[in-house]
Structure formats: C-alpha cells, structure tokens
Amino acid sequence: MKKTKPPILIIDDNEVDRYILKRLIKEANLELTVFEKNDGQEALEFLENYEANRQEYPGDFPPILIFLDINMPRVNGMQFLEEFAELRKIIEISSCVVMMFSSSERKEEKEIIMAYDFVKGYLVKGDFQAKDLKEKVQAVIGKYLI
C-alpha cells in the first residue's frame, strides 16, 4: 500500500511566490501534496469544509503544515492566525502547524506571530535555499514524511 504524501497548504496572493516555494519544495525532494489558496479567507473556507469535501482532496487528513504570507487582500496573515486559533478548537486540525512565508521582516509583526504556539517558523522570501527549507520542514513535520 502506497503511503499518502503529507498535505500542506500554501496561502499567498502572489502566484510567483507560490511557484517559487513549490519549486523549492521539489528541489528539496520533499514528497508533499500541495494545496494553494490566494488569501486567508479562501484558506479558512477550505479548512472549515475539509471534512465535508474530503472526497475531493487526496490524502487521509487535512494539511499538516501551512505556509502563510502576511500581506494579502480580504483576510491577511495576521487575521488568518486569529481565526485559525479559534478554528483549531472546533475542528480536528490541532496537528496542523504554520510556518510564515513572508517578505515582511518587521520585528513587531514577527513577535506577535511567533507568540502563537502553532507557528513553528518564519521564512523571509528570498532569504533561504532548498536545503534550508528541507531542514525546517523536516524539523516541524518530519514524522509525516515518507
């Protein structure tokens, strides 16, 4: 029986940034099922409806890792974190963790974000290579990787 590739979710309104992150994931030889959403609102709806729409999504469980941008329309990264914290109490996504993936290096934003216990890292766009990404992802979700 073939093991399912662990699902992850990339939330970023910039298609080029999503492409670059997916390319780095591939370059790092990380076997993952990648879902993509354009903003926090789409992502919250996806997570809220995951169980109901499970047959549409490959995998045995909802995403275990979310790469989250901060600056997005509708629901930005900061707002997503607030709503996600509440959502974790309602539906079974407590094993899901967040890794920020942003161009923002503002210290005050980073302090607020890293205060959430489910946020496990902060990657600055353009500041890391595939091997760095692989190390961070393995440190956070290594037990799920094939």
Side-chain angles (χ1 to χ4, degrees):
M1 189 168 96
K2 187 174 187 268
K3 190 171 179 184
T4 305
K5 295 177 187 176
I8 66 160
L9 175 60
I10 300 172
I11 309 171
D12 196 321
D13 60 319
N14 187 314
E15 190 174 341
V16 173
D17 287 340
R18 291 194 314 264
Y19 171 80
I20 290 168
L21 182 55
K22 288 186 299 184
R23 196 180 77 215
L24 286 168
I25 289 168
K26 186 175 183 169
E27 195 178 312
N29 293 317
L30 292 166
E31 293 286 321
L32 303 166
T33 299
V34 179
F35 295 105
E36 298 177 56
K37 298 299 172 194
N38 289 312
D39 61 48
Q41 183 63 43
E42 277 186 22
L44 288 166
E45 289 168 6
F46 170 78
L47 292 168
E48 287 168 356
N49 297 315
Y50 186 84
E51 283 300 320
N53 300 321
R54 195 174 201 161
Q55 66 278 4
E56 293 177 35
Y57 309 118
D60 302 323
F61 40 85
I64 56 169
L65 174 62
I66 295 173
F67 285 99
L68 178 64
D69 186 26
I70 295 174
N71 300 310
M72 297 179 289
R74 296 200 311 162
V75 173
N76 67 33
M78 303 288 269
Q79 294 164 322
F80 175 86
L81 289 173
E82 285 178 37
E83 293 192 38
F84 184 69
E86 292 304 309
L87 190 59
R88 286 168 58 94
K89 297 174 188 173
I90 301 166
I91 62 175
E92 188 45 51
I93 52 172
S94 58
S95 61
C96 182
V97 294
V98 174
M99 192 169 293
M100 299 309 295
F101 175 64
S102 180
S103 55
S104 174
E105 296 185 64
R106 292 180 51 208
K107 186 179 181 218
E108 57 277 6
E109 270 183 349
K110 191 173 180 180
E111 286 174 2
I112 293 167
I113 289 164
M114 295 308 292
Y116 287 96
D117 64 342
F118 54 82
V119 176
K120 301 298 182 187
Y122 197 105
L123 300 170
V124 176
K125 293 177 182 178
D127 263 12
F128 61 95
Q129 304 297 319
K131 70 176 184 59
D132 305 319
L133 178 66
K134 185 171 189 167
E135 287 171 12
K136 290 198 180 280
V137 169
Q138 285 178 325
V140 174
I141 63 164
K143 66 182 179 184
Y144 295 102
L145 297 173
I146 298 170

